[in-house]
């Protein structure tokens, strides 16, 4: 395991959230366009604390999604500024807690804080670990021509290039057809 379990879990949620954008989603549409989409996202990715399920919350989560994507694509030093901004905006005040059968772990906002603030704070805390370990190179954007998906490369040698096997297979087929045509 490259990162602590809490960090990997937060990074994985960040990937799922950002990959709801139209250019990254399986459907090719924005999969976070409605409150029902938000409800579906949170039913598959448990997020403890208050959830309002209203349009204002959806808009704030969509803004958090954009901030996480932006931070994901920055170099190490530039990411620090973005992460610090996310922490300020979420009014983060880290504390240790345990709940729902989990051992001690870090939270940065009150469970009653708005959902977008909690998402921003958890993503920022996870990105702090990535920055401190000098592993920002493992935060990647899919190399497929028609995909803007993000992923975290947890492979041993850090050589993953695509967000999904589907994108990798599609690009391999494109390369195969190009070679076949060239012959």
């Amino acid at each position: 395991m490259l990162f602590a379990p809490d960090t990997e879990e937060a990074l994985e949620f960040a990937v799922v959230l950002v990959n709801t954008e139209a250019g990254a989603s399986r459907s090719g549409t924005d999969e976070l366009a409605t409150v029902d989409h938000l409800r579906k996202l949170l039913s598959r990715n448990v997020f403890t604390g208050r959830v309002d399920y209203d349009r204002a919350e959806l808009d704030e989560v969509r803004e958090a999604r954009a901030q996480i994507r932006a931070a994901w694509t920055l170099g190490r030093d530039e990411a620090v500024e973005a992460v610090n901004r996310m922490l300020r905006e979420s009014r983060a005040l880290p504390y240790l807690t345990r709940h729902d059968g989990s051992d001690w772990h870090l939270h940065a906002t009150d469970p009653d804080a708005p959902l977008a603030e909690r998402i921003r704070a958890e993503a920022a805390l996870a990105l702090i670990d990535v920055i401190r370990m000098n592993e920002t190179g493992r935060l990647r954007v899919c190399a497929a021509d028609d995909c803007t998906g993000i992923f975290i490369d947890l492979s041993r040698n850090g050589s993953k290039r695509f967000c999904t096997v589907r994108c990798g297979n599609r690009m391999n087929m494109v390369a195969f057809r190009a070679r076949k045509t060239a012959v």
Side-chain angles (χ1 to χ4, degrees):
M1 182 172 290
L2 183 63
F3 301 108
D6 286 352
T7 297
E8 285 190 15
E9 187 176 310
L11 292 170
E12 288 167 3
F13 178 78
V15 166
V16 169
L17 176 64
V18 171
N19 287 344
T20 61
E21 291 178 336
S25 71
R26 287 187 69 98
S27 67
T29 62
D30 186 344
E31 294 177 352
L32 193 57
T34 68
V35 172
D36 284 339
H37 287 148
L38 177 62
R39 189 179 311 275
K40 185 176 178 182
L41 174 74
L42 295 177
S43 73
R44 292 186 316 252
N45 302 276
V46 177
F47 222 90
T48 61
R50 177 183 131 206
V51 182
D52 298 332
Y53 294 118
D54 60 23
R55 186 65 201 193
E57 180 174 72
L58 174 65
D59 291 343
E60 291 170 5
V61 170
R62 289 170 55 90
E63 175 58 32
R65 175 180 72 175
Q67 286 181 305
I68 293 167
R69 170 179 275 293
W72 200 272
T73 61
L74 296 172
R76 185 176 186 221
D77 292 344
E78 296 81 15
V80 170
E81 183 178 328
V83 167
N84 285 338
R85 184 176 347 101
M86 290 168 58
L87 289 169
R88 275 191 311 276
E89 289 177 2
S90 64
R91 296 184 285 277
L93 185 59
Y95 63 95
L96 287 168
T97 186
R98 61 179 167 197
H99 56 83
D100 302 325
S102 296
D103 198 4
W104 290 110
H105 60 280
L106 194 61
H107 278 223
T109 57
D110 187 272
D112 288 331
L115 177 62
E117 284 184 15
R118 295 192 323 273
I119 289 172
R120 245 190 303 275
E122 286 202 19
L125 290 176
L127 290 169
I128 286 169
D129 285 347
V130 174
I131 292 166
R132 289 178 62 204
M133 294 177 70
N134 198 19
E135 293 288 355
T136 55
R138 290 185 179 266
L139 304 177
R140 307 248 173 92
V141 177
C142 186
D145 296 341
D146 57 348
C147 182
T148 61
I150 66 167
F151 64 95
I152 179 155
D153 183 358
L154 297 174
S155 67
R156 185 177 299 261
N157 65 0
S159 63
K160 190 173 173 185
R161 295 180 46 226
F162 303 104
C163 65
T164 63
V165 171
R166 190 175 118 233
C167 281
N169 288 344
R170 192 174 62 252
M171 295 310 296
N172 287 338
M173 184 55 70
V174 167
F176 171 77
R177 288 180 180 152
R179 285 190 306 272
K180 193 173 179 181
T181 302
V183 174

